[in-house]
Amino acid sequence: MTNRKTNIVPFEIKYLNEYYDGFNTEITKYQWPDPFRTVDDAKELLQEFLDEMKKDETLLFAVVDSEERFDGSVEMHGLSEDCPEVGVWICEPEQGKGYAYEALSYILHFAQDKYGKKNFFYEADVRNVGSTKLLNKFSNLYEINTLGVEELVTDSGKELKLQGSVMKVK
């Protein structure tokens, strides 16, 4: 829980339909994944993440408002690695309100406290201005080492320009 109107809670399958609806073409514009074709496809992937959580391989949290309406998610994969990967997305109507920063802060601190993690991998398309701004907000708490840009084309034909960054706790 946080001190704002938004809370970060363990993801539950009850958020499936909102996750499916929110993970749309605009949200995935600069991401490798595409929107889900069906709700069942979303459920299958989310269930895999939930199963990985039970094995301490993945973290998946929902960003919800004070009435438990789904506003987005934050996740971390590769918990057994030295530098797990983090990601966050916020539903379009809720963007620009600081929720991504709050959610990413939460999961980073959670992984530090529970798993002793000190390094994290964050990747975003260089054209995704919001993601770049989000990463820069962490520069006072983390040493951020920016890597080169990888240009690639997804299976669906999206052209991405992904830039990874390693965030190391100062």
Side-chain angles (χ1 to χ4, degrees):
M1 298 293 220
T2 62
N3 59 1
R4 295 178 57 159
K5 76 169 192 127
T6 293
N7 299 307
I8 316 301
V9 298
F11 189 89
E12 295 180 53
I13 212 70
K14 71 181 182 180
Y15 302 119
L16 170 64
N17 289 326
E18 292 85 353
Y19 189 105
Y20 171 77
D21 291 339
F23 201 71
N24 59 33
T25 303
E26 185 60 29
I27 292 295
T28 63
K29 181 177 181 178
Y30 295 124
Q31 296 183 18
W32 182 270
D34 290 313
F36 298 102
R37 292 183 190 179
T38 67
V39 172
D40 286 339
D41 289 345
K43 184 177 183 179
E44 183 179 326
L45 179 69
L46 291 169
Q47 189 59 58
E48 286 177 23
F49 289 169
L50 292 171
D51 292 345
E52 290 173 3
M53 277 187 68
K54 291 177 187 173
K55 299 175 186 175
D56 284 335
E57 296 171 3
T58 292
L59 295 174
L60 177 62
F61 293 97
V63 179
V64 299
D65 69 14
S66 60
E67 297 175 15
E68 289 199 47
R69 285 186 297 256
F70 182 82
D71 288 335
S73 76
V74 62
E75 57 195 59
M76 185 176 293
H77 300 280
L79 280 172
S80 62
E81 304 296 322
D82 290 335
C83 189
E85 183 171 355
V86 294
V88 60
W89 69 272
I90 302 297
C91 295
E92 287 179 83
E94 302 305 318
Q95 291 179 358
K97 298 179 181 178
Y99 301 152
Y101 178 81
E102 185 176 347
L104 195 53
S105 293
Y106 180 88
I107 202 167
L108 291 168
H109 285 100
F110 186 90
Q112 289 172 46
D113 293 345
K114 185 168 182 179
Y115 300 98
K117 298 298 178 184
K118 301 290 182 203
N119 300 301
F120 305 94
F121 182 74
Y122 178 91
E123 185 174 59
D125 192 289
V126 296
R127 297 165 294 177
N128 187 337
V129 176
S131 288
T132 301
K133 285 181 181 178
L134 175 61
L135 177 63
N136 290 334
K137 289 181 180 181
F138 287 92
S139 63
N140 61 336
L141 300 172
Y142 295 85
E143 177 184 320
I144 299 173
N145 296 316
T146 303
L147 308 173
V149 174
E150 180 182 8
E151 294 189 29
L152 49 92
V153 178
T154 68
D155 296 339
S156 66
K158 283 190 286 190
E159 295 179 9
L160 300 177
K161 297 177 182 183
L162 299 177
Q163 184 165 46
S165 297
V166 175
M167 304 170 65
K168 182 177 182 177
V169 176
K170 288 185 178 180

